[in-house]
Amino acid sequence: MDMKLPPAEELRLVDEELGRLDARRSVLLARRAWLLGVLHSPAGRPAAPFGGGAAAETSPRGAQNALLTLGGILLAVAALAFTLVSWGSMGIAGRAAVLLAVTSAALAAPAVLLRRGLASTAEAVGALGLVLTVLDAYALHRVALPETDGTAYTAVAAAVLAGLWAAYGGLLRGLRLPFPAAVAAAQLPLPLGAVAAGGGPAVVAWAAVLTAAADLLPLARPVGLAARITAGASAGALAAGALLTGGWLSVTSPWTGAPLLAGCAALCLTAVRAARTAAVALAAVAGLALVAAVGGLARSALPSDGAVPVYVAGGLALAALWRPVRAAWIPEAVRAGFGLAGGGVAALGVVWALPPVLGGLLGPADRSAGVWSGAHAEPVPVGYPATAALVLLLAAGGAAATGRLWGRWGAVVLGWALLTALPVVLELPYAAGLAVRLVAAGGALALAVRPGALTRGLPEPAPAPERPAGAWGAAWTTGSQAAPVAPGALLAWTGLAAGTASAVSALLLALDTRAATFVALGVLFGLFAAAAALGAGAVREAASSAAVLAAAGLAGAGAAAAGFAPATAGVVLLLVPAGTAAWAARFRSAAVEATGAAVGAVALALTVPRPAVLALALALAGLIAAATALRQERRRAGSWAAGALFLAAAWVRLAVWGVTVPEAYTLPVTVPALVVGFLRRRRDPAASSWVAYGPGLAATLLPSLVAVWSDPSWVRPLLLGTGALAVTLLGARFRLRAPLLLGGAVLALVGVHELAPYVVQLVGALPRWLPPAAAGLLLLAVGATYERRLREARLLRERLARMR
């Protein structure tokens, strides 16, 4: 650089040199980025062209595979078209030469391609070679063996091709397609051979079973994942078809279907070792096949109604192997599958046996005749097989034998279902059916009271969490158990629910005759009373409520049998709440009290059509509530209830006597209310007079005031005004706001009422121009006042605006 140049020229030269350096730096940085991309790309392949470009939408390997696949497909299509269309235009030598040359080239080319590292291309060409071998077999049948049966030839060709493809895959280990193709081709020889030989469905199914058994061999050998998947899927499909055929034959031809089902079961159990992930499912299928085989043989020797118990027994026997202590030599997964299969069969049998259970439980509700008509409905369903009871018995025994809580619970439910179904399946007479239902109710309630009899031998439950104290906390205790997590609680609640359902069914059935109604209600009352006496916690409360309802039913039935009218029957029914009040006073049962109150409400509703009887019933109910109020914990609620009932009884009686004077209805409310308010003020001097005396005073003063305005007589205004004056003076004397304001307001309104006629006369005597003039003066006064207020507001705003 020349230092003798002027500074301006030298500065220009420096800037140009710096620009050239920046441009060269940019080029070098871009080249460096491209070289890094080449070094870090897969297999050293270059990245995007130097200088940039659009992002690639597919990988090179994906494009390569797509091209190879498309090329193989097109070549296969061309070979197929040549074989089917152009075959007849060539001589025998030419045809053989073409097929041999093309097939040989297609099968030999992969060896060369694999040595050069072109594995994907070799796979595509090898697939084309396999397709060509299929076309060769077809061409051979068309030319050399046209008279041969097509099914038999296909079976032989499939076997030959399977062997050739397996050998080809063994020679060229780099190809992945030949072994799966050989496995797929090996599925055809035996089934197609059985069809070609004229075998029936059983023979074809056995061929499928043998083929599926052969498919298990590749699963245990290192032949590649694709081959194992093909073998497993093929075995599953063939076994499923054989199972369906065996199930159909077990119904139509049991002695043919049973061995086939046994073979399928053996196949599934053999596959357990090879397919460990599906071991439970395979064992379950094997178990179902064995049960179907045994049941099919039983169908041929027993009546049609006796087949279901055999299936259920077989399922339970199979499920028994689920317990390790009974079959320790069987793998755990197989035992689990057997348990699922056997339990499923037993569950299906129970579902089959449910219709008579529902008929025995709900059938009495289908009543076509009236109560106590003596007519009995036919059992539903009619003619159901009696073996349904045997199925329920077997299932109950199997559930009880498990030694688990769910098994004991299932045994209880199934045992109760058996008793419920007996009247239907055995078509028992009316009395016997009623007796069986009552026995079912008694047995279930016995379990609810003492569930410990069925919990012996069960594992101890986990410690129960602490429960809140009081009535709700005590309700958690059920029977002899201490917590709902205990086994006894589940059995107790189940027994209570089953007993209640059987009781309702028995009662509905007993309504057919009068004697049966009394017998059923008496027995049910005794059962529920015993359960209440012997039980504890929530079971006792529920049984007590049911006993109260049974007692109410007895009382109502007795009144109906005596020919009492509904109103009279309502009075008789009040005996039940009276008894529950006495019971609750001794045993402190909230449920009994609530049920008795509900029965009392029904009794009062029955007396509504006859007001005189309603008044008596209300008074009796008030006595019961007053007796309840003698208890410390019920004093407040009982007192209010008794007061309301006595007041209602008085009002109804006054209405019956034709009394229309409102004070006759309001004074019975006012006097007790004022007494209560006076006592409240003595106990709590700070209590408001509105709370103490307001309700009582308003109860009489306000209705009487309304009556004054529609009463032309002078007696009521005089008496009301005198009373209001007295109330006002008392309020002023004792400085009580409620009497002062209420009495003064009523007194003023009574005065207005008395002065109103004179005001009307005065207004009528005045000139007609006087009211408009008075209204105008009033409006002027209001307007002036409004204007003055606006001026004052404006002055205030101006003063605020001057402030700083």
Side-chain angles (χ1 to χ4, degrees):
M1 185 171 295
D2 191 359
M3 299 298 183
K4 297 180 180 180
L5 294 175
E9 184 65 17
E10 184 178 355
L11 179 60
R12 183 181 66 79
L13 294 175
V14 169
D15 289 338
E16 290 179 355
E17 186 65 20
L18 288 175
R20 284 191 294 270
L21 290 175
D22 289 338
R24 182 61 177 167
R25 175 180 174 82
S26 299
V27 173
L28 293 175
L29 288 175
R31 180 65 178 175
R32 180 177 183 276
W34 182 82
L35 292 173
L36 288 174
V38 171
L39 292 175
H40 296 338
S41 62
R45 288 189 297 271
F50 181 67
E57 296 182 353
T58 183
S59 64
R61 185 177 294 274
Q64 161 199 302
N65 293 335
L67 292 175
L68 291 174
T69 303
L70 181 59
I73 292 174
L74 292 176
L75 287 175
V77 171
L80 182 63
F82 169 77
T83 303
L84 297 178
V85 179
S86 302
W87 184 259
S89 61
M90 299 180 66
I92 296 177
R95 302 170 192 171
V98 170
L99 279 177
L100 180 60
V102 175
T103 305
S104 300
L107 294 176
V112 179
L113 294 173
L114 287 174
R115 285 196 299 270
R116 295 187 178 184
L118 302 176
S120 298
T121 305
E123 199 74 53
V125 177
L128 175 62
L130 298 182
V131 173
L132 288 175
T133 57
V134 176
L135 296 179
D136 290 340
Y138 170 75
L140 180 61
H141 179 264
R142 287 286 304 272
V143 174
L145 303 171
E147 303 298 330
T148 306
D149 179 67
T151 305
Y153 180 81
T154 304
V156 175
V160 173
L161 289 177
L164 291 176
W165 291 347
Y168 183 66
L171 291 175
L172 298 180
R173 294 288 183 177
L175 297 181
R176 292 174 295 178
L177 187 59
F179 279 124
V183 172
Q187 311 305 310
L188 301 178
L190 286 180
L192 291 181
V195 173
V203 177
V204 176
W206 272 112
V209 170
L210 294 176
T211 304
D215 287 334
L216 300 181
L217 297 177
L219 296 180
R221 299 179 184 275
V223 295
L225 180 60
R228 290 198 297 271
I229 292 176
T230 305
S234 301
L238 292 172
L243 280 170
L244 292 177
T245 304
W248 172 66
L249 290 175
S250 69
V251 177
T252 60
S253 180
W255 290 99
T256 303
L260 178 59
L261 289 173
C264 292
L267 175 65
C268 293
L269 293 177
T270 305
V272 166
R273 186 179 299 274
R276 297 184 182 275
T277 57
V280 176
L282 289 171
V285 173
L288 292 175
L290 291 175
V291 173
V294 175
L297 294 177
R299 290 176 63 91
S300 63
L302 296 175
S304 58
D305 297 343
V308 178
V310 175
Y311 282 108
V312 173
L316 293 175
L318 189 67
L321 299 177
W322 162 73
R323 301 189 66 182
V325 295
R326 297 183 181 179
W329 52 274
I330 301 178
E332 181 180 358
V334 176
R335 291 201 309 269
F338 283 171
L340 289 175
V345 171
L348 290 176
V350 170
V351 171
W352 174 82
L354 281 183
V357 178
L358 298 177
L361 183 64
L362 305 177
D366 185 15
R367 182 179 304 281
S368 57
V371 177
W372 295 354
S373 63
H376 308 306
E378 291 293 331
V380 178
V382 180
Y384 204 83
T387 50
L390 179 58
V391 169
L392 294 173
L393 180 61
L394 290 173
T402 60
R404 302 295 180 92
L405 174 59
W406 60 265
R408 303 285 175 89
W409 176 83
V412 168
V413 174
L414 292 170
W416 169 80
L418 172 61
L419 289 176
T420 306
L422 280 180
V424 176
V425 297
L426 299 181
E427 298 182 0
L428 297 178
Y430 175 76
L434 179 60
V436 170
R437 288 174 172 85
L438 292 175
V439 168
L445 290 176
L447 175 65
V449 172
R450 291 292 182 265
L454 292 181
T455 59
R456 295 188 182 94
L458 294 178
E460 291 294 329
E466 295 184 0
R467 300 297 179 187
W472 288 106
W476 285 100
T477 303
T478 305
S480 61
Q481 306 298 329
V485 298
L490 176 62
L491 297 177
W493 280 108
T494 302
L496 181 63
T500 304
S502 293
V504 172
S505 179
L507 181 58
L508 291 174
L509 183 65
L511 293 177
D512 288 353
T513 63
R514 179 181 301 180
T517 300
F518 282 99
V519 170
L521 286 172
V523 172
L524 292 176
F525 175 77
L527 290 176
F528 282 109
L534 299 176
V539 170
R540 179 178 60 191
E541 294 294 312
S544 300
S545 299
V548 171
L549 294 177
L554 281 172
F564 292 161
T568 308
V571 176
V572 174
L573 205 59
L574 287 175
L575 294 173
V576 175
T580 58
W583 173 277
R586 175 68 177 83
F587 297 101
R588 298 295 192 270
S589 177
V592 168
E593 283 187 289
T595 309
V599 173
V602 174
L604 294 178
L606 291 175
T607 61
V608 169
R610 295 183 60 184
V613 182
L614 174 61
L616 175 61
L618 288 170
L620 294 175
L623 287 175
I624 297 172
T628 304
L630 296 176
R631 294 160 49 192
Q632 180 67 28
E633 73 277 8
R634 293 288 185 266
R635 181 164 299 171
R636 184 180 182 86
S639 299
W640 282 102
L645 290 170
F646 282 135
L647 180 62
W651 283 356
V652 172
R653 175 51 60 183
L654 289 173
V656 171
W657 287 339
V659 176
T660 58
V661 179
E663 288 77 12
Y665 296 87
T666 58
L667 287 176
V669 180
T670 296
V671 174
L674 293 177
V675 172
V676 172
F678 176 74
L679 297 177
R680 169 78 181 276
R681 290 273 298 178
R682 288 190 60 182
R683 186 172 65 253
D684 183 13
S688 172
S689 63
W690 287 106
V691 177
Y693 303 119
L697 293 174
T700 292
L701 293 178
L702 297 182
S704 298
L705 180 62
V706 174
V708 161
W709 285 88
S710 60
D711 189 357
S713 175
W714 58 273
V715 178
R716 187 185 300 277
L718 176 61
L719 295 176
L720 181 59
T722 303
L725 177 60
V727 170
T728 304
L729 293 177
L730 288 174
R733 168 67 180 80
F734 294 102
R735 299 179 181 178
L736 298 175
R737 186 175 300 172
L740 179 62
L741 295 180
L742 281 175
V746 172
L747 182 61
L749 291 174
V750 171
V752 170
H753 173 267
E754 294 302 307
L755 188 62
Y758 302 102
V759 173
V760 171
Q761 293 178 4
L762 178 63
V763 172
L766 292 176
R768 295 188 174 182
W769 55 266
L770 187 59
L777 290 175
L778 178 62
L779 292 175
L780 288 176
V782 172
T785 303
Y786 184 68
E787 182 182 9
R788 185 170 65 254
R789 295 290 183 267
L790 289 178
R791 187 176 66 252
E792 293 174 355
R794 185 168 59 253
L795 293 175
L796 178 61
R797 185 173 65 251
E798 292 175 356
R799 290 175 182 175
L800 291 175
R802 290 194 297 269
M803 290 182 180
R804 294 290 185 265

